[in-house]
Amino acid sequence: MSEIFKGKAMTDNPAVIRTIKGRGVPVKGNDIDTDRIIPARYLRCVTFEGLGAEVFKDERYNDDGSEKKHPFNEPKYAGASILVVNRNFGCGSSREHAPQALMRFGIKAIIGESFAEIFAGNCISMGIPVFTADEPSVAAIQGLVEAHPDSVLTLDIDSETCSGPGDQVQLSINSSAKAALLGGTWNTLDELLMNEDQIETVYSRLPYISGFS
Amino acid sequence: MGKNLFTKVWDQHRVTALSETRDQLFIGLHLVHEVTSPQAFQALRERNLPVKYPNLTLATADHIVPTQDQLLRPFKDDLAEQMMVAIEENTRDFGIQFFGLDSDSQGIVHIIGPENGATQPGLTIACGDSHTSTHGAFGALAFGIGTSQVRDVLATQTLAFERLKVRKIQVSGERGSRVAAKDIILRIIAELGVMGGIGYAYEFAGPVIESLSMEERMTICNMSIEGGARAGYVNPDQTTFDYLEGRPFVPKDQAFEKAKEYWRSIASDPDAEFDDIYELDITGMGPMVTWGITPGQSVEMGKNLPRLEDLEEKDREITTKAYEHMGFREGQPLEGEKIDVAFIGSCTNGRLSDFRAAADVVKGRRVASHVKALAVPGSRKVKTQAEAEGLDTIFKDAGFEWREAGCSMCLAMNPDKLTGRQLSASSSNRNFIGRQGSAHGRTLLMSPAMVAAAAIEGAVTDVRNL
Ligand code: SF4
C-alpha cells in the first residue's frame, strides 16, 4: 500500500468507513438489473433527490398504484439498511441513479453473491460497501434476516465479516474498495485533484491531443 | 511475450498508482449526455471547479429528445425540458462543444463520436453510459462510468480505475447469409453468459472480426457490456483507417500519416499475452433472437426455446422468471410469435448500414397491419445519408414511421414507449423487464434485417425464408 494511503487511514477522516450496523432486507433473485432498481422514466431528473421513493417502483407497485408484495414494502423490514441480494445484482445501465435510489431509500451496504462491475463501482464511489459471499452464506443471511428481521447485523470492512445473532459469516470485498473505504478516499475527487502536475504531463505526452502535429 | 492493446493504451494513459490495485487513468475523450451529467456539473459548481480540459469533452442530447417535432420547445414533457435546459446551460457555462438541437451533428452519443472521427484508436474514452464500449471498435479503451466518475473526469480528466483482465475472443468460420454482427455478439453472450465478462475487457479478434466493417464492429463492441465486460475492442487496421480518413476530428495529410503510424503501434502484438482466450466458430450459425429478460437468453432461428430440465440448476430461476414474464412455453419455437411493435434504431443498430440491411428486406413489401413500425436513425447525419439514398421512402412506403434521431424506444425516457404487454421486435441491446417503457412490455432483440422481417410478417420470422 502506498504511503499516501497509510497516512490517510491514520487521521480522523470523517469519510473513513469501518463498520456498518443495521437491520437487513433480502431482495431475492438473480440478474436484477438497474432498470428494475430504478425504471428509466425516473432518470428524467437533474438532481438525485427524491429517487428513494421510486426505488424498485415497478416491482413494488401495480399500475393503479396499489402495492405489490415486495420486501421494500413490508413493514417488518422498514428502516433496514443492509440489502442482501443474489447473483449479478445491478447489471445493465451505468446509471448511478440505481445506487442513489437505494441509498436515498436508506440502504448503507449491500451483500450479494455477485455484482455487475459498474454498479459495484458506483456504490463504492458513494461510500456504500458492496460485499460478496458464496451462495450458501448469502442464503444463510437472507434466511436469518427473514426469520429475525429485528436483529442488527454488523458488517466489518477490515475483517470482511457479517456478525449477527447467528454464526459469523465470512464475506469478501474488493481490495481497492476496501482500501478506499478504510482510507476515507471513496470520494475519489480529492485524491484525483492532488495529482495535477502528473495529469498535465500525460496531457502533453499524448500525441493525439496535439493532432499529431 | 508481446503486449496487448489494452496494456499499451492503459500504460500510456496512466497518471499514477493510487493504491496497489487502482490507477489514476487519463481520459482522452469524455463524451457527455443529458441524463448522467447534470448532477456531475452541479458538483463542480458547488466546489467552484472548472472543467479541466473542455477541448477533450464533447456533448450531445439523445436519451430524452423526442423523435417527432424535435425542434418544438419547450418539450411537452417538463422533466425532459428541464434536462435539456440543464445540458444547454452546462455546456455553455463550462465551454464544452455541444451537438444540441441546433446542430446537424446531434445524435446518440455512441454514434456521433465515431461518425465525426472524435473516436480514434489508442484513446481512452469515458462516458456516463454503459454502452461506451461501442467506441472500442476503433481500438480505443472505452468505459461506461457513473455520475460520480463523470464529475471526476470533468474536474480532472482522470478516473480512479482498476486495470481489467483481457480475454481474447477469437471468432472464425464461415459467416452464413443474413448473419449479422448482432447475431455474432448475441451468440457470444449466450455462450459466455451475462456475467462471463465481469472483470474483463474483451478483445474481439480472428478472421470473422477482421472482415467486419467498422459499423459491424461497433455493434459487437456495443454489446460487450451485456456480456458483463466493461470494455470491448478490436485492433485498428486498414478498415479502421479508411473509415476515419476525412472525418471532421481526424488529422489530415501529413498528420494523418503520423496518426496511422501511432495507431498501428498500439495494436496488440502478434505474440501478445492474454488472461484468457475463447474461440468461437460461427460456421452454420443462423440469426439469433432473444426470447427472455436478459440478453443472454437467446435462441438461434430454427431451434426451440430451452427446457428447464435441460438447464443447469443455476440458470433455472431466471429462466422460469423469463417464461413467466414473456408468456412463452418451454420447448416452443419463437418463429410465428405475433409482434406488436418493430423498432429499428439505437446505438447498437442505428447506423447507415443497419438501415440499408433493413431496407433491403422491407423494399416492395408492406408492414403487417397490426404492427407499429419505427425506423429511428441514430444521428442526424445517419438520417441525412439514409435520405440521400432514398431509404426513408422505402421505409415509409412499407408503412414504417421514419423518425428524427435519438435513443427512442431503446429505453423509456422519451415519448416512444411500449404499452401494456406489447411484444416488440427491437434492434436495440436490452430486453430487461420494463426497458422499453411498459412494466409488462416484452422485448425480443435481433438484427435490423430480422426486425424488418418480423415487421413484414407481423411475427418472428427467419429472414432467410422471406
Ligand atoms: S440507444 Fe439505448 S443503449 Fe444506446 S445510448 Fe441510447 S438509451 Fe443507451
Side-chain angles (χ1 to χ4, degrees), chain A residues 1-2 4-5 28-36 39-49 51 58-59 61-63 68 86-88 91-97 100 113-119 121-122 124-126 135 174-177 179-180 185-209 211-213, chain B residues 11-16 18-22 24 26-28 35-36 38-39 47 49 52-53 55-56 64 77 79-80 82-83 86 120 122-124 127-130 144-149 151-152 155-160 162 164 194-195 197-200 225-226 228 230 251 255 258-259 262-263 293-294 314-315 317-318 321 411-413 430 432-435 439-440:
Chain A
M1 190 139 303
S2 74
I4 300 174
F5 255 74
K28 291 184 176 174
N30 297 330
D31 303 303
I32 293 180
D33 57 74
T34 51
D35 281 82
R36 280 162 71 187
R41 58 186 185 278
Y42 299 110
L43 272 52
R44 287 156 40 254
C45 58
V46 292
T47 77
F48 290 129
E49 280 157 39
L51 281 182
D58 294 339
E59 316 251 299
Y61 298 97
N62 291 307
D63 297 344
K68 292 187 191 176
N86 298 100
R87 203 151 34 93
N88 201 24
C91 57
S93 140
S94 67
R95 63 188 70 158
E96 196 166 303
H97 305 65
Q100 285 281 354
E113 290 170 47
S114 62
F115 295 89
E117 219 165 302
I118 301 181
F119 177 84
N122 284 341
I124 300 304
S125 66
M126 294 162 47
E135 194 182 339
N174 162 296
S175 57
S176 307
T185 57
W186 48 268
N187 185 338
T188 39
L189 183 54
D190 294 306
E191 196 181 8
L192 296 175
L193 279 168
M194 282 192 308
N195 304 322
E196 179 124 28
D197 292 351
Q198 286 147 291
I199 295 172
E200 282 164 13
T201 309
V202 176
Y203 179 88
S204 36
R205 85 167 173 232
L206 292 169
Y208 58 82
I209 289 178
F212 295 95
S213 56
Chain B
D11 290 346
Q12 175 80 302
H13 289 81
R14 192 163 162 268
V15 173
T16 185
L18 295 172
S19 71
E20 271 165 30
T21 48
R22 271 194 323 172
Q24 181 167 3
F26 189 92
I27 298 303
V35 180
T36 52
Q39 296 88 350
R47 299 188 51 164
L49 290 166
K52 176 80 177 155
Y53 292 119
N55 55 323
L56 303 182
I64 53 141
D77 175 358
L79 296 172
Q82 267 181 38
M83 296 180 82
Q120 293 172 17
L123 266 66
T124 44
C127 172
D129 193 284
S130 57
I145 56 177
T147 298
S148 297
Q149 293 174 309
R151 171 204 64 194
D152 290 354
T156 70
Q157 203 63 34
T158 64
L159 276 177
E162 227 172 302
L164 299 169
V194 291
M195 291 165 61
I198 292 182
Y200 283 97
I225 186 70
E226 309 313 332
R230 193 155 189 182
K258 273 169 90 177
Y262 179 69
W263 296 342
I293 54 172
T294 83
K314 65 173 177 54
D315 294 326
E317 185 218 288
I318 188 76
K321 186 150 175 88
L411 97 172
M413 288 196 66
R430 287 196 171 135
F432 299 145
I433 294 175
R435 171 73 180 186
H440 312 285

Side-chain angles (χ1 to χ4, degrees), chain B residues 117-135:
Chain B
T119 301
Q120 293 172 17
L123 266 66
T124 44
I125 300 179
C127 172
D129 193 284
S130 57
H131 293 101
T132 308
S133 56
T134 312
H135 306 265

